Amino acid sequence: MTAVQSTYSPAPALADLVAKYDGRAPRYTSYPTAVQFTPAVDAAVYRTWLRDLPTADPVSIYVHIPFCSRLCWYCGCNTRAVRRHGPVADYVGYLMDEAALLEQALPGKLDAGAIHLGGGTPNMLTVDELAVLFGGLGRMFRLLPGLEVAAEIDPPGLTREWVQAAAGHGLNRASLGVQNLSPRVQEAVNRQGSPEEVARCMGWLREVGVASINLDLMYGLPHQTAANTLSTLDQVLPLRPERLALFGYAHVPWMKTHQQLIHEAALPGPAERLDQSEAAAERLVAEGYVRIGLDHFALPSDDLARAQAEGRLRRNFQGYTADGAGTLLGLGASAIGSLPQGFVQNVTPELGWREMVAKGQLPVARGVAVTRDDRFRGEIIERLMCELQVDLFDICERHNRELGELSRELARLRAFERDGLVICDGGRVRVTETGRLVVRAICAVFDRYFAAAEGRHSRAL
């Protein structure tokens, strides 16, 4: 494939404008966000919520595997590096014990429409451990025809045998961590990978019929530039993945202490981050990908693009999704679940999670019950994150609210409107293409919990 030369060059005024709004803001993978989770939602509350789940509605399942063969210094996930396989094997046993506790709390055998393996590195599980995991879930739930089975994959540790075994359990969607293929960038974040490795892994996945492959890319890493970002795209776009995610590196060393190993002087500034993200976006759109929300891209034939076109795109803790299930059940250390009544999160430290499971307790650490107002504001924020526009008249009508209740929020949007970031027509709000860059900051206007001074979130761009 002939590389498409980028013509993108950020205007100084644009860089200044984005910098003006590039404060810290939530990623809005839920509302309320995880910052509002408290221990008041405990195992007893969770058990009540589970008991009241509607038995006719299918659920989705998330399984967290908190292990990696090495620790990438940029990582914001709950994971740890292990040299021996013993802790991983033991963990699978505890997962099955937690699943048994969950099964006891459910109102009956439920349908499952999706299973997502996240991490960490799910492909650290052996073929036998995959069989144990899927065998247990198959006994616990009715796995629906067309079940979506997705896995996050670290290419250096992937084998053809693992792919074949996973395909036998229904694997039909995969996400490969690529981030950036510049050796200098990889060295700065303790990562490895090559374009040949990515191509080999994608070939194995194609062999078994995996129809939707995503590549995770990043911008804002140490020593990253627009040039090596575009070079990475040059090396992976000939493989024609169905989806690509372009995440901004979130430098939060006060939360993730291993990020202290990154030399802050090597991190690009806001203008450089903007250059990288927009140059990559321009290239991807030129190659035929549809821009999805804040940071995803998909071929027009992929379900993510179709979901956006049809107004059914959703956002959850895995990012943008076409999964419309009203309940997500989380298994594993730190796993987050979403239920009609609210959100729950398991104990994050793996040893603490094991201790609770060993005691026969659902390992819930915290959560938040969703109020009527939360549902109202959450829908506004999700539509802005997914569609970059929202009809407040329509949402107010569905929630039996008055538009006047949002007068303060609409007034706060005027600053964004003056700067060309949103267009407001009464109760209809549309984010402009420039505004897309700071859509999280726009969403924060409707977040009644948000306090910019808290500093507990990553930067908006």
Side-chain angles (χ1 to χ4, degrees), residues 100-219:
L101 294 171
L102 181 63
E103 184 177 22
Q104 293 169 12
L106 291 173
K109 192 167 187 175
L110 303 181
D111 294 335
I115 298 173
H116 186 108
L117 306 185
T121 306
N123 54 297
M124 286 193 71
L125 299 181
T126 66
V127 167
D128 289 342
E129 288 158 1
L130 277 178
V132 169
L133 176 61
F134 279 93
L137 294 177
R139 288 187 295 273
M140 181 176 170
F141 298 94
R142 287 185 296 268
L143 304 183
L144 295 175
L147 175 76
E148 179 181 275
V149 178
E152 298 169 15
I153 290 171
D154 184 33
L158 190 64
T159 65
R160 176 182 269 145
E161 180 189 23
W162 193 93
V163 171
Q164 291 171 340
H169 299 297
L171 181 72
N172 48 28
R173 191 163 70 80
S175 182
L176 302 181
V178 175
Q179 321 315 348
N180 186 277
L181 293 174
S182 163
R184 189 182 188 199
V185 173
Q186 290 183 352
E187 182 180 7
V189 295
N190 194 39
R191 186 161 180 89
Q192 61 188 34
S194 68
E196 295 78 17
E197 189 173 63
V198 176
R200 182 170 64 249
C201 293
M202 285 188 65
W204 291 337
L205 292 164
R206 298 295 192 205
E207 283 178 1
V208 298
V210 174
S212 184
I213 299 176
N214 171 74
L215 300 185
D216 279 345
L217 306 177
M218 296 186 75
Y219 65 89

Side-chain angles (χ1 to χ4, degrees), residues 438-457:
V438 292
V439 65
R440 290 162 55 195
I442 295 169
C443 288
V445 168
F446 295 94
D447 182 349
R448 73 182 182 93
Y449 303 103
F450 178 68
E454 285 183 356
R456 298 178 68 184
H457 305 287

